Amino acid sequence: MLVTYLEASRDLCETDSILFGAALATCRIIGAKVSTAGRATGHSSAIPAWRRRTEERIAKARALIGRLICFRSGNNRPRIVRTVRMAFAGTNVSLSQPDITQKLTERIDDLKQRIAAWGNRIRRYTERSTRFNQKRLFQSDQKRLYESLERPMVSGTGPAPNQADTVAFWRGLWSEPVNHSEGPWTEVVASECAGITPMDPVIITPDDVAEAVRRAPNWKSPGLDGLHHYWLKGFMVCHSVLARQFQEALNQKSLPSLFTTGITHLGS
């Protein structure tokens, strides 16, 4: 079926849609979970559920510690008292007993120990995940690994940039026409390059496509089309069609917007 559809494809955009549909159909047949919402702009969260639950527990424990400290300092507002009573629910502790200050201190220390234990669990997971990612990156791209190790960690502590100011800044750089005056060196370069023999025409073959796909990581983040390299490796019948259509795009010196459009996220 895929061969029939690919033979009728007129350009790279149609071929991409056909391959995405084939990948989606395959996932549905084998029962794999697929989210098409992220095909254009979605980004799935890589934070595991247990970590989110643990971080919520830490936040609640810290809030409770703050309420207990306020009550121990003499703050008897109804909301504070209600929270303290809930903290000692199921125990024989009464807020009017003489040693309530000691009980509050013990409860605060217990919560601090729990927070430390939860934080250590998250820290161990983060360190283990970092080591795993570094080992995998070392096998696939050592240059990127060394760059990430040498690059200093920068954390934004200042206020976030204003959206209007950011748009105005980049619009002033890219929206205004600029007239460039070529210097005399361009004539020198042109005269020196006049005797260079032009390179032979590039011929893209199915083997070239297969080799390029073979070296690509299976599940690397896809582009706007949402199609991973895994499917280009599995659907080998598309290599000849892609080679022909890429050759046509090269000869026409034009690529569809699918290959020239992306989403940029401003970093801190």
Side-chain angles (χ1 to χ4, degrees):
M1 293 177 61
L2 189 57
V3 174
T4 303
Y5 284 104
L6 288 175
E7 289 178 350
S9 175
R10 294 172 297 180
D11 53 28
L12 288 169
C13 289
E14 285 192 10
T15 300
D16 179 78
S17 298
I18 293 170
L19 294 177
F20 184 85
L24 183 61
T26 303
C27 291
R28 289 178 176 175
I29 291 173
I30 65 178
K33 295 182 179 180
V34 178
S35 175
T36 58
R39 177 168 162 83
T41 59
H43 295 275
S44 61
S45 175
I47 302 177
W50 69 264
R51 178 168 178 172
R52 290 196 297 268
R53 292 193 300 267
T54 303
E55 291 175 348
E56 292 175 358
R57 292 172 185 167
I58 291 175
K60 292 179 180 179
R62 287 175 175 170
L64 180 56
I65 289 175
R67 298 286 178 86
L68 295 176
I69 292 176
C70 289
F71 182 80
R72 189 176 62 180
S73 301
N75 189 335
N76 295 323
R77 286 186 300 174
R79 177 187 250 177
I80 300 295
V81 174
R82 184 168 59 252
T83 303
V84 175
R85 285 177 179 171
M86 292 177 59
F88 288 104
T91 64
N92 296 326
V93 178
S94 174
L95 302 186
S96 59
Q97 65 187 51
D99 60 342
I100 185 61
T101 302
Q102 180 181 354
K103 296 297 183 181
L104 288 169
T105 303
E106 292 176 356
R107 180 62 172 159
I108 291 172
D109 292 340
D110 177 68
L111 290 173
K112 288 181 178 179
Q113 292 177 7
R114 292 189 180 188
I115 291 175
W118 291 331
N120 288 333
R121 184 184 180 191
I122 293 176
R123 178 182 54 80
R124 290 194 301 268
Y125 166 79
T126 303
E127 293 176 351
R128 179 176 175 271
S129 178
T130 301
R131 290 194 300 267
F132 174 79
N133 292 332
Q134 288 178 348
K135 290 180 181 178
R136 185 171 59 179
L137 187 59
F138 180 82
Q139 295 176 351
S140 60
D141 193 342
Q142 297 182 14
K143 180 181 178 181
R144 284 180 55 196
L145 172 63
Y146 295 134
E147 288 179 351
S148 65
L149 295 176
E150 295 174 357
R151 186 182 302 115
M153 297 297 294
V154 178
S155 59
T157 56
N162 181 272
Q163 182 178 1
D165 295 340
T166 303
V167 172
F169 173 80
W170 288 108
R171 180 175 289 132
L173 293 179
W174 297 106
S175 299
E176 299 296 332
V178 179
N179 295 323
H180 298 282
S181 58
E182 303 293 350
W185 62 271
T186 56
E187 299 178 0
V188 177
V189 174
S191 61
E192 292 178 351
C193 296
I196 298 178
T197 303
M199 64 179 295
D200 297 332
V202 176
I203 304 299
I204 302 176
T205 65
D207 292 337
D208 295 331
V209 176
E211 180 62 19
V213 171
R214 185 188 65 81
R215 296 196 306 266
N218 285 343
W219 302 108
K220 184 179 180 181
S221 179
L224 295 177
D225 58 352
L227 188 67
H228 292 86
H229 294 139
Y230 173 84
W231 302 106
L232 298 180
K233 295 180 180 181
F235 299 144
M236 293 183 291
V237 293
C238 74
H239 295 171
S240 58
V241 178
L242 288 175
R244 173 174 55 82
Q245 293 178 345
F246 273 117
Q247 185 68 54
E248 293 174 355
L250 180 64
N251 295 339
Q252 298 172 2
K253 300 180 181 180
S254 175
L255 281 174
S257 60
L258 178 66
F259 294 88
T260 58
T261 305
I263 302 173
T264 301
H265 299 273
L266 294 178
S268 57

